[in-house]
Amino acid sequence: MVWENLLVPIGFPGKTSVRISVADWWEHETCTYSDDSLYVTKSDSLISYYLGYCCEIGVTGYLHCPWWRVFTPIDKVLLCIIVLCCFLLFFIQEYVVRIYRRFFVKEVPVIVEKEIPVIAMEKSQTHIYQLEDDLYFDADSGELSRTDACVKLSSLPAKLLQGFLEAENYLLSINEIMALLWQDGTGTSERVHTTITRLRKELSKIPNWEITNGNSSYRLKTPHSIEEIQS
């Protein structure tokens, strides 16, 4: 009580606690607290004093102050303003992004280096590739057709051929083929090899078209340039 009364004039916002311990001849210690011991577990001892040599009496003082008590009224007002600004920023972030893009992001013009010829087709035919002058590949139906022959590809070889035609330099790695044909993650290198073999067998009916492999990847070798025809 005396200790707390001495702290009142300086406006100390925390709590005080005193621990008194007594040790007997057999070094058994008994202790008690002047306040709730819960505060002691959260506090650092301020001062300790011991009396006696064998039978000790120890008195330890503790101070406990919650962190929010150290804020002054001005600090609390500033903290509320900061929290409010963060809350408002969450709602106006879209406008901030627009302003940023308008004044700080420079738009780069898109340059089309190659024009792709377009031939009118039926609406159902949306992926038709002209491989040669008289050779076409319909990715939707899986048909390789020319004036003197027509080869019908099954689903996986047709999808793989379309992947080669759309890939850069007509090159696909094994992992890219597995991701293309088996999006559920069930693809394996054995399944890739089987599908490549089936596609090679179908392409063997078309002269000068083949698939080569190397460095864990496959490439479609074409005799002429390939142009995609979109409807």
Side-chain angles (χ1 to χ4, degrees):
M1 292 177 61
V2 173
W3 191 15
E4 289 182 348
N5 292 333
L6 291 175
L7 292 175
V8 169
I10 64 174
F12 179 70
K15 293 180 176 291
T16 62
S17 181
V18 176
R19 176 180 181 271
I20 301 177
S21 61
V22 178
D24 58 18
W25 289 98
W26 297 275
E27 298 183 355
H28 296 157
E29 187 179 65
T30 304
C31 62
T32 184
Y33 299 90
S34 63
D35 203 345
D36 186 0
S37 60
L38 182 63
Y39 290 106
V40 176
T41 60
K42 300 179 181 179
S43 310
D44 293 328
S45 60
L46 181 65
I47 186 172
S48 298
Y49 194 82
Y50 297 93
L51 300 175
Y53 180 70
C54 292
C55 299
E56 290 186 339
I57 298 177
V59 180
T60 304
Y62 293 89
L63 294 176
H64 172 75
C65 181
W67 64 269
W68 52 269
R69 297 289 296 273
V70 300
F71 289 106
T72 63
I74 297 179
D75 296 333
K76 295 178 181 178
V77 172
L78 293 177
L79 183 61
C80 292
I81 294 176
I82 293 175
V83 173
L84 181 60
C85 291
C86 294
F87 183 76
L88 293 177
L89 184 61
F90 177 78
F91 291 97
I92 64 175
Q93 59 179 343
E94 182 177 352
Y95 299 98
V96 174
V97 171
R98 290 181 181 178
I99 294 174
Y100 174 78
R101 289 179 178 176
R102 181 176 180 181
F103 293 99
F104 299 99
V105 177
K106 182 179 180 181
E107 296 184 358
V108 179
V110 178
I111 301 176
V112 180
E113 297 182 353
K114 184 179 68 173
E115 295 183 355
I116 300 177
V118 178
I119 299 178
M121 295 288 181
E122 296 181 2
K123 293 184 178 179
S124 59
Q125 298 177 335
T126 57
H127 296 89
I128 298 179
Y129 300 82
Q130 183 178 0
L131 309 185
E132 296 180 14
D133 292 339
D134 60 343
L135 178 61
Y136 294 86
F137 171 59
D138 187 343
D140 296 328
S141 63
E143 291 185 354
L144 268 171
S145 59
R146 64 192 319 170
T147 55
D148 57 347
C150 181
V151 179
K152 176 67 175 180
L153 303 181
S154 55
S155 176
L156 286 180
K159 191 173 183 179
L160 178 57
L161 178 57
Q162 182 183 3
F164 277 121
L165 296 176
E166 294 180 351
E168 184 177 0
N169 297 325
Y170 316 120
L171 179 68
L172 290 174
S173 66
I174 294 179
N175 291 334
E176 290 174 338
I177 295 176
M178 288 191 293
L180 174 67
L181 302 183
W182 300 281
Q183 298 181 0
D184 57 354
T186 59
T188 61
S189 57
E190 290 78 10
R191 298 184 72 177
V192 171
H193 177 73
T194 301
T195 308
I196 289 291
T197 301
R198 292 169 59 189
L199 180 58
R200 280 173 172 166
K201 182 179 179 180
E202 301 297 338
L203 290 179
S204 64
K205 303 175 184 178
I206 307 296
N208 301 324
W209 288 82
E210 61 179 354
I211 297 177
T212 61
N213 67 312
N215 297 326
S216 300
S217 61
Y218 293 90
R219 182 191 299 273
L220 176 66
K221 295 188 66 176
T222 63
H224 303 290
S225 61
I226 299 174
E227 298 177 347
E228 180 179 1
I229 304 172
Q230 299 177 344
S231 59

